[in-house]
Amino acid sequence: MTDDEDPKKEKKSKGTSKVVCGYPLSIFFIIVNEFCERFSYYGMRAVLVLYFKYFFRWDDDMATSTYHIFVALCYLTPILGAIVADSWLGKFKTIIYLSIVYAIGQVALAVSAIHDITDNDRNGIPDNMTFHIVLSMVGLFLIALGTGGIKPCVAAFGGDQFGDHQERQRRTFFSVFYLCINGGSLLSTIITPILRAQECGIYSQQKCYSLAFGVPAALMVVALVVFIIGSGMYYKAEPQGNIMLDVCKCIGFAIKNRYKHRSKQFPKRQHWMDWSEEKYDKLLIAQIKMVLKVLFLYIPLPMFWTLFDQKGSRWTLQATNMDGNFGLLVIQPDQMQTVNPILILTLVPIMESLIYPLIKKCGLNFTPLRRMTVGMIMAAIAFVCAALVQLEIDKTLPTFPSASQSQLKLLNMGSNPVTVKLPDNDPLVLPAAQASDQLFTFEAEMVSISIDNMTRTIPLSKGQRQTLLIRSNINDGNWLLTDDLISKPQEGNNAIRFVNGMNTTVNVSTPAADFGLIESLNYSNYSQIKNGKAIFTLRSGSQSCEYSREFGFGSSYTFLIPSTLVFGSNCQESITAAEDIKPNSVHMALQIPQYFCITAGEVMFSVTGLEFSYSQAPSNMKSVLQAGWLFTNAIGNFIVLIVAELAKIPKQWAEYVLFASLLFAVCIIFSIMAYFYTYTNPAEIEAQFKKKFNEEDEDDKSQLQKKEVEMVWKDSSERHKDEDDTAKQTKM
């Protein structure tokens, strides 16, 4: 042992850790491990919902539900991890074994995102989607088991490395430990969305989800290796048994015993837990009563987590329909989540050093339960803000045809204006090389259209958008209908196609896409173009020219190459652009208020809630409350699943309002419960029980001593009596 080691610890369980600046060297391995693990978890989670939506092509509800099932599992498995660590393997082995499971899960998830594995026709879309879904679900289950299992162990294992005389160093360690959690979260939510936005692939270039998951997987492997390197320096405490099991057994016995004595002939007891007095210690029963009193307050809490965890699902999906251009910086939809850790690192010291002291100086008793109530209100306000933002987004979204409708757009490819007559519409004069500004909606499948006294009946497809290409000679051949998009382009891309109005074949290309050869009086397929400036090169034989345009997010354009085009160095003015779907115009900055409100609510609710719980629980019951707190988080995520899958609310803003209303209602219930709650001091109650126990012990000792004196006196009397009898016999 070194001089700074705690001599109370057993030598066989103690590593040979050196001391650096008063700290065991082993904790530096633990801190690096935690940073890498949190980077791995939050980095993977940041892009997860978009992976479900765009890679698996699931709808928003399915993607949201699966995301929240995963998060719920991540908050259920810590209970299992704590029991295994305390009762069977110990913290060190639990961290090692479950970290291996964790790393395998991350690797499986990264492999599942490689689209080339089953892309036999090399079109960028996996042919066997079942393989990718099953592999990713297995990976996510292993990740949930790993991250949840080690969650309650790592911090406690780090605290075990300090001796009783290193209380100051232990507090500093926990501060740095939680700083690493937020630091890993912040960096990962910035980096992994950037990696996701890259394009990669062997045969076809697609969004690089495999890289976005691969880097967190590599960090998890690094976390495991670093932790193993320090294994010789750790103090490894032997499993001491898990208090949660004792609590559950005591509660179970009380319920069972109460049921056995349910008859009226048995006298009632002050508390239902008193029915366990026949088997369990009174101090343990009193401690469980204190814990149950706090757990009762936990009943309304899941609704807060229902709203809070949607910033990684619904809010990220909301950002996909917004403009992320901040000038010099373009923000990806999943990068908006970085606002949360940034605000946490900012608001926690502000709240603790400025806001709370200021409220106290104003004479207001801002108790922990009142802080939690305000935190819940802030979360509800955040969802009201999200609903207002969604209303603005809905104004910019296109109205697509229903299953019983068809929509038609007109494009004049000729060099002369034409007059078009449509059923139930006024005659429309369409200029040369121009498209109609509006879309015409029809219920009938067959529509009669007149163009410059030429009338034809054309078939329209139900539930589809189509464009009628009007050629110069309307009497020549069949009229050409194109199928248009019936949804906004995914991942913020722009869908672009070209219509060739010339009498010769034209080749259109750009570094991001190749439209190929476009036949005369025909059109190309849609190609996906990223936001920013794109330069298109048009070639016909030996002639060529360039056309450039700035693109935003989520738009769709049809570019007409007119019959009058003259090739030269620049054909910028000659190309006609028809906007089929408008780009995202609501800026992502409008999400900042809702992120501010939800983060302020988190600081007042989560941080204060843990502080309150720990202050109201006995020292040996902290883990029970931690398990209860994590369980409320899991239940909150299951509530999202129920609403998303069963409610099926058609308007997203209405769903936000529903969640806000539910939390406001729950907040009222919680405030009433908090009003009647009486704060206790567990240390004083435990001290009273111990004092009472000591007094009873002293009484037992004094009575025992009294009995011993009586027995000595009795023995002495009997001995004297025997001596007298002997003397009498001798005399006789």
Side-chain angles (χ1 to χ4, degrees), residues 538-545 567:
L538 287 68
R539 290 187 177 88
S540 179
S542 59
Q543 297 178 308
S544 66
C545 70
F567 285 93

Side-chain angles (χ1 to χ4, degrees), residues 238-460:
E238 296 296 327
Q240 301 294 323
N242 191 277
I243 189 65
M244 283 189 289
L245 294 178
D246 296 334
V247 171
C248 292
K249 288 178 181 178
C250 185
I251 293 174
F253 180 81
I255 295 172
K256 182 179 177 181
N257 198 30
R258 178 67 184 91
Y259 181 76
K260 284 182 178 179
H261 300 82
R262 62 186 182 276
S263 176
K264 292 183 179 180
Q265 66 182 6
F266 297 103
K268 292 184 177 180
R269 301 188 182 182
Q270 187 176 7
H271 193 279
W272 62 271
M273 277 300 303
D274 294 334
W275 288 96
S276 60
E277 289 180 348
E278 286 84 348
K279 186 176 181 180
Y280 291 92
D281 183 62
K282 288 185 177 181
L283 177 59
L284 176 64
I285 296 171
Q287 291 170 333
I288 294 175
K289 287 179 182 178
M290 288 185 277
V291 169
L292 291 176
K293 187 179 177 183
V294 178
L295 290 178
F296 177 72
L297 281 178
Y298 281 4
I299 294 175
L301 303 190
M303 187 52 66
F304 174 86
W305 301 116
T306 298
L307 276 66
F308 177 78
D309 281 326
Q310 289 190 63
K311 61 183 174 58
S313 58
R314 290 296 197 198
W315 287 11
T316 300
L317 294 173
Q318 183 186 63
T320 61
N321 291 319
M322 303 179 76
D323 181 7
N325 191 347
F326 283 79
L328 298 176
L329 188 64
V330 176
I331 299 295
Q332 299 295 326
D334 33 2
Q335 281 183 312
M336 280 301 293
Q337 298 176 56
T338 58
V339 176
N340 177 250
I342 291 173
L343 287 175
I344 285 178
L345 295 174
T346 306
L347 288 178
V348 168
I350 292 177
M351 288 286 191
E352 294 293 338
S353 60
L354 182 63
I355 304 298
Y356 294 154
L358 188 62
I359 293 175
K360 189 175 181 180
K361 283 187 176 181
C362 293
L364 299 175
N365 186 17
F366 202 34
T367 62
L369 292 179
R370 290 177 182 174
R371 294 183 197 177
M372 293 175 67
T373 304
V374 174
M376 297 167 78
I377 293 173
M378 292 297 293
I381 293 173
F383 265 63
V384 172
C385 295
L388 295 175
V389 171
Q390 189 63 45
L391 285 172
E392 291 300 312
I393 293 173
D394 290 347
K395 293 177 183 177
T396 66
L397 295 177
T399 303
F400 294 106
S402 65
S404 61
Q405 294 177 330
S406 302
Q407 289 182 343
L408 184 66
K409 192 172 188 176
L410 306 173
L411 176 60
N412 183 5
M413 300 170 64
S415 57
N416 297 309
V418 295
T419 302
V420 183
K421 293 181 180 179
L422 298 171
D424 302 323
N425 286 278
D426 295 330
L428 172 68
V429 177
L430 197 60
Q434 293 294 326
S436 59
D437 294 330
Q438 69 181 102
L439 285 157
F440 301 94
T441 303
F442 300 99
E443 301 288 341
E445 291 187 13
M446 305 298 291
V447 178
S448 179
I449 301 177
S450 297
I451 303 176
D452 287 346
N453 300 321
M454 168 64 75
T455 302
R456 287 189 182 181
T457 300
I458 61 172
L460 298 179

Side-chain angles (χ1 to χ4, degrees), residues 54-68:
Y54 296 131
F55 192 89
F56 293 158
R57 302 181 184 277
W58 289 348
D59 61 23
D60 288 359
D61 288 339
M62 184 65 178
T64 299
S65 299
T66 309
Y67 173 86
H68 285 285

